[in-house]
Amino acid sequence: MTEEADGVAGAAEDGAGAADRAGGEQEAVEPRAACVLCQEPSEYPESHRGITLCPRCAWLEGQRTACSG
């Protein structure tokens, strides 16, 4: 059982190392544009043209504009 536990711990350490490497790469990513409705960060970079909505406001806008049937 100790071998299995060591294997799991080693896998967790490998995952944490991968997350650290990915985090270092994400620092170079362009900042996120603010949502035009609530000013929260959106999914889009600041260079994105047009109206930028965060996922929540995009969902609410979709509900608002949906056909009522």
Side-chain angles (χ1 to χ4, degrees):
M1 260 198 176
T2 56
E3 291 177 16
E4 289 180 26
D6 291 340
V8 171
E13 289 173 4
D14 291 343
D20 290 342
R21 287 189 298 275
E25 293 172 4
Q26 290 179 352
E27 290 177 16
V29 175
E30 189 174 346
R32 299 285 142 197
C35 174
V36 296
L37 299 177
C38 69
Q39 301 306 311
E40 292 293 320
S42 69
E43 297 177 330
Y44 303 103
E46 285 184 345
S47 63
H48 181 77
R49 291 184 176 184
I51 296 173
T52 54
L53 299 174
C54 69
R56 180 181 165 270
C57 289
W59 183 82
L60 290 172
E61 185 72 9
Q63 291 292 314
R64 188 183 69 79
T65 60
C67 185
S68 63

